[in-house]
């Protein structure tokens, strides 16, 4: 019997990326489906935000789930906007993210992707976090996927938006579990 894990997202681009990264093995004992849920947005570190979201999703689903949270931390701003990047982007736009750093020489940033997996209600989620170093640049490339056009990956000379899916998914991350 195949175990179904629900990936909690309403973002079709995120779903496609996760499906490509995880791959569909015919011998896998699990399957991935997606569902958009309204889960509380808490304030805190990337880990605290991810844990709260995954616990709430597992409770609502009454089963196993996978959540993903993305953060973008500007070094000159001591890590802001961090896990609040979605709100900053909605309010300021891509050009506004650049303007936040206008008075600083340091344009370096870290992209952080935090996945949380939970077996179900009452189980403690497991975290997987990956980090990519880069810098904030004026927008380059397609603008259909969040802040990708302003994040140039260190050593690549390209923003995430300028990379095709395979290239973006092959970027080396510093990971912790």
């Amino acid at each position: 019997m195949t175990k179904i894990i629900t990936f909690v997202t309403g973002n079709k681009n995120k779903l496609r990326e996760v499906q490509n990264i995880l791959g569909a093995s015919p011998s896998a004992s699990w399957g991935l489906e997606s569902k958009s849920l309204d889960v509380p947005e808490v304030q805190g570190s990337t880990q605290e935000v991810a844990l709260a979201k995954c616990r709430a999703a597992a409770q609502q689903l009454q089963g196993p789930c996978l959540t993903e949270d993305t953060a973008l931390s500007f070094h000159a701003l001591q890590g802001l906007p961090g896990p609040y990047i979605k709100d900053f982007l909605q309010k300021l736009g891509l050009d506004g993210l650049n303007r936040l750093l206008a008075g600083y020489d340091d344009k370096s940033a870290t992209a952080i992707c935090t996945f949380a997996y939970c077996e179900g209600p009452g189980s403690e989620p497991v975290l997987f976090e990956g980090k990519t170093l880069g810098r904030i640049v004026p927008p380059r490339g397609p603008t259909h996927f969040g802040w990708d056009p302003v994040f140039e990956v260190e050593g690549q000379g390209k923003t995430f938006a300028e990379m095709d899916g395979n290239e973006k998914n092959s970027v080396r991350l510093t990971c912790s579990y």
Side-chain angles (χ1 to χ4, degrees):
M1 184 172 184
T2 302
K3 180 179 191 171
I4 299 298
I5 300 171
T6 302
F7 178 46
V8 179
T9 187
N11 184 324
K12 65 182 180 189
N13 291 317
K14 263 188 199 181
L15 174 62
R16 185 175 51 251
E17 277 191 349
V18 168
Q19 287 172 326
N20 288 339
I21 291 168
L22 294 178
S25 169
S27 62
S29 61
W30 54 273
L32 189 67
E33 66 180 23
S34 71
K35 185 169 187 169
S36 180
L37 294 178
D38 187 21
V39 292
E41 291 287 335
V42 301
Q43 293 190 17
S45 69
T46 55
Q47 295 89 6
E48 291 165 337
V49 170
L51 287 169
K53 180 178 180 178
C54 196
R55 285 183 190 118
Q59 185 66 39
Q60 285 184 38
L61 293 167
Q62 290 294 297
C65 66
L66 179 68
T67 62
E68 185 272 345
D69 284 283
T70 302
L72 186 60
S73 297
F74 297 177
H75 299 178
L77 299 180
Q78 314 319 309
L80 287 173
Y84 315 112
I85 185 60
K86 182 178 176 181
D87 291 328
F88 275 61
L89 181 58
Q90 286 174 344
K91 300 279 192 283
L92 303 174
L94 293 168
D95 290 327
L97 293 179
N98 270 273
R99 284 192 304 275
L100 284 174
L101 295 176
Y104 297 92
D105 293 330
D106 184 3
K107 309 292 187 203
S108 62
T110 302
I112 305 166
C113 183
T114 307
F115 279 89
Y117 170 76
C118 188
E119 279 290 323
S123 295
E124 189 60 22
V126 178
L127 294 180
F128 306 89
E129 190 164 76
K131 297 178 180 182
T132 301
L133 296 177
R135 66 187 186 107
I136 303 304
V137 298
R140 299 193 318 247
T143 59
H144 61 270
F145 199 25
W147 46 262
D148 282 7
V150 298
F151 184 76
E152 182 183 276
V153 178
E154 185 176 88
Q156 299 291 315
K158 291 182 180 180
T159 65
F160 273 146
E162 294 173 303
M163 298 178 182
D164 68 29
N166 288 334
E167 189 177 8
K168 181 180 174 184
N169 292 340
S170 69
V171 170
R172 293 203 174 258
L173 303 173
T174 302
C175 296
S176 59
Y177 309 96

